[in-house]
Amino acid sequence: MALAPELSRQTKLKEVAGIPLRDSTVDNWSQIQTFKAKPDDLLICTYPKSGTTWIQEIVNMIEQNGDVEKCQRTIIQHRHPFIEWARPPQPSGVDKANAMPAPRILRTHLPTQLLPPSFWTNNCKYLYVARNAKDCMVSFYHFYRMCQVLPNPGTWNEYFETFINGKVSCGSWFDHVKGWWEIRDRYQILFLFYEDMKRDPKREIQKVMQFMGKNLDEEVVDKIVLETSFEKMKDNPLTNFSTIPKTIMDQSISPFMRKGIVGDWKNHFTVAQNERFDEIYEQKMDGTSLNFCMEL
C-alpha cells in the first residue's frame, strides 16, 4: 500500500536560537539577518495562521485606494515578500524585497528576537495580528497536514503536544504574541486581534488605514470590507493559494483557506485537552495584560 503523501514526508525543522524554522530558512539565515530595512517599510507580522493573508489583502486594498483591478495585479504571495522565505533556486524573500521600489510592504512570521536588526534601527512600522491560541493551533494543524514542506504533524493528539511545547515552525505561540505585545509602545506597532477583525471588520480596517496614513471615503472602506471577506477571498485564486503546486501545498488534504471562524477549536479539543491547555495557558500568560476572545 502506498503511503499517503502526508505520511511519507521526511522534512525536518532546524533551529535558530532555539526557535524551530524551515530548513531552507535556516540555511539562508545570514542573508535574512543582514537584510537592510528602510524607514518607510511597513512590516506585516503574524504567528502562522493568524490572518496573515487577510491582513495582507486589507493592506493591499488600502494601499491601492480600493481599486480592485490594481489589487489583482499578481497573486498575493508576490505582492508582499516574506523576509524569511527561501526555496532555492528561486529568488528568496530578501531578494524579492531588495528588488522592490519603496515604500515597501513586507511580511514575516519571525518572533521579535529573530527579526533582522535593521528593522529596529530604522524605526519601521509594524502591523501585528494576533489570533487566540486554540483556533491558531487548529488552523496550523490543518496547514501542517497539507503543507508538504513542513514535517508530518502526526495525529491531532501528537500535534497537540508539539504545539504546546513550541516545537512547531516559528516556535511557541505564547512567546511570539507576548514578545510583540510587550514592545508595542516602544515602536510604531499597530497590534490587532483576529477576533476583533471578525467582529467589526470596518472598525479594524479604519485603524489600519489611519496607521498607514491613508484617508479613504466611507464608500471605499465599505468596498474593502466586502472584498476582504473570507468568502470572497476563499473563492479568489489570487488569494486562496490555489496556484501553488500540489508538491508544496496539497489542498486536496485541507484547503489553505479552511473556515476562518472563531471557536472552531471546540470541534477538535477533547475536554481533557481543553482543561490541560487552560492550565498551561494560565502559567505561560501569567503577568501579561494580553486578553483573547475564544469564541464569538
Side-chain angles (χ1 to χ4, degrees), residues 42-45 51-66 71 73 76 79-80 104-106 126-129 190 192 197 204-205 207-209 211-212 214 216 224 228 233:
L42 170 63
L43 186 64
I44 294 169
C45 317
T52 319
T53 308
W54 189 14
I55 192 67
Q56 267 188 273
E57 188 71 344
I58 288 169
V59 164
N60 193 36
M61 287 214 71
I62 293 169
E63 183 194 15
Q64 303 298 342
N65 304 312
C71 290
R73 63 196 182 277
I76 200 155
R79 295 177 217 163
H80 312 131
R104 304 179 296 188
I105 295 171
L106 310 168
Y126 308 92
L127 190 47
Y128 189 88
V129 183
L190 177 62
L192 299 175
M197 289 165 65
E204 300 306 300
I205 286 169
K207 282 186 197 171
V208 177
M209 185 179 76
F211 185 69
M212 289 173 68
K214 285 277 195 176
L216 304 176
I224 294 172
T228 58
M233 288 181 63

Side-chain angles (χ1 to χ4, degrees), residues 14 19 36 56 108 118 128 147 159 204 223 240 245 254-255 269-270 279 286 294:
K14 291 184 178 179
I19 309 289
K36 289 181 172 51
Q56 267 188 273
T108 188
S118 63
Y128 189 88
C147 184
Y159 166 83
E204 300 306 300
K223 183 180 174 186
N240 65 15
S254 179
F269 279 57
T270 63
E279 272 176 35
D286 184 40
M294 297 292 185

Side-chain angles (χ1 to χ4, degrees), residues 8-20:
S8 60
R9 270 185 263 160
Q10 299 300 312
T11 320
K12 294 267 191 293
L13 296 175
K14 291 184 178 179
E15 288 191 358
V16 172
I19 309 289

